Amino acid sequence: MRDEAGVRNPVLPDLLRPGLRIVFCGTAAGTVSAARGAYYAHPQNRFWSALHAAGLTPRLLQPEEFDQLPQWGLGLTDIAKHVSGMDRELLPGALGRQACAELKAKIEAAEPKWLAFTSLAAGRRYLGRPAGFGEQPERIGGTRVWLLPSPSPAAGWNWDRHKHWWRTLADEARD
């Protein structure tokens, strides 16, 4: 997708601005999200229910309401902004060095308190190393980095055992 000036448009717009508590970051928009023009839009994705269950939103939001998140100090982005699909379907390099450098620059500019990757795959891609759930030692400027279990239905096999990491992040972000 390109605009009238030939500039490549993102699949989903970033929801970034200074003063946010947590910016959630995935690898790339999924197929359903790209089609609906809304983050985490697959009907079985647990992202929106996880935000609500963790106390980060006062009610369960619908994916098309993603633009309301900043009022609760929350933002959204992805590593790969110009492609969509499951990670294994993405073009080689879509989650590579350039995409990670662009993400870093956006986070340095917005300076949220936390950057929370919404899957181990996303966090490990950015960090360039194996990593587990929770806070990481790396910082982006003053922004702390956190890895969450994926809310995607494709990763549902480990959700019940690891979903507490969403509440733990919410508790940390409130302190």
Side-chain angles (χ1 to χ4, degrees):
M1 288 182 287
R2 294 188 183 272
D3 67 11
E4 301 82 38
V7 176
R8 226 167 45 151
N9 291 322
V11 174
L12 294 173
D14 283 329
L15 199 55
L16 297 172
R17 62 180 69 153
L20 297 174
R21 283 185 302 146
I22 306 171
V23 170
F24 294 94
C25 181
T27 51
T31 305
V32 174
S33 293
R36 288 177 59 182
Y39 283 88
Y40 304 98
H42 190 288
Q44 294 173 330
N45 195 297
R46 297 173 182 91
F47 178 82
W48 299 102
S49 61
L51 289 186
H52 181 58
L56 292 168
T57 59
R59 64 178 176 82
L60 179 61
L61 298 173
Q62 295 303 307
E64 288 76 14
E65 297 178 291
F66 73 88
D67 62 346
Q68 294 183 31
L69 287 176
Q71 68 185 301
W72 299 294
L74 307 176
L76 295 166
T77 192
D78 291 303
I79 296 172
K81 294 302 298 178
H82 303 286
V83 296
S84 62
M86 295 187 70
D87 292 356
R88 68 178 180 270
E89 300 169 340
L90 301 178
L91 297 172
L95 301 171
R97 187 172 305 173
Q98 181 176 343
C100 290
E102 290 171 4
L103 171 64
K104 180 181 181 187
K106 290 189 283 190
I107 296 303
E108 286 174 337
E111 299 181 305
K113 183 175 179 181
W114 292 94
L115 174 63
F117 289 98
T118 59
S119 71
L120 287 176
R124 289 171 177 170
R125 275 298 179 155
Y126 178 80
L127 295 170
R129 64 171 178 80
F133 298 123
E135 186 170 1
Q136 305 301 306
E138 290 87 350
R139 300 283 183 269
I140 301 172
T143 299
R144 297 162 75 176
V145 177
W146 190 276
L147 272 60
L148 292 165
S150 175
S152 167
W157 60 272
N158 71 354
W159 180 256
D160 287 336
R161 195 172 78 188
H162 297 294
K163 65 184 177 185
H164 69 275
W165 288 105
W166 288 75
R167 165 98 36 210
T168 305
L169 171 62
D171 292 345
E172 286 286 325
R174 277 191 276 277
D175 292 340

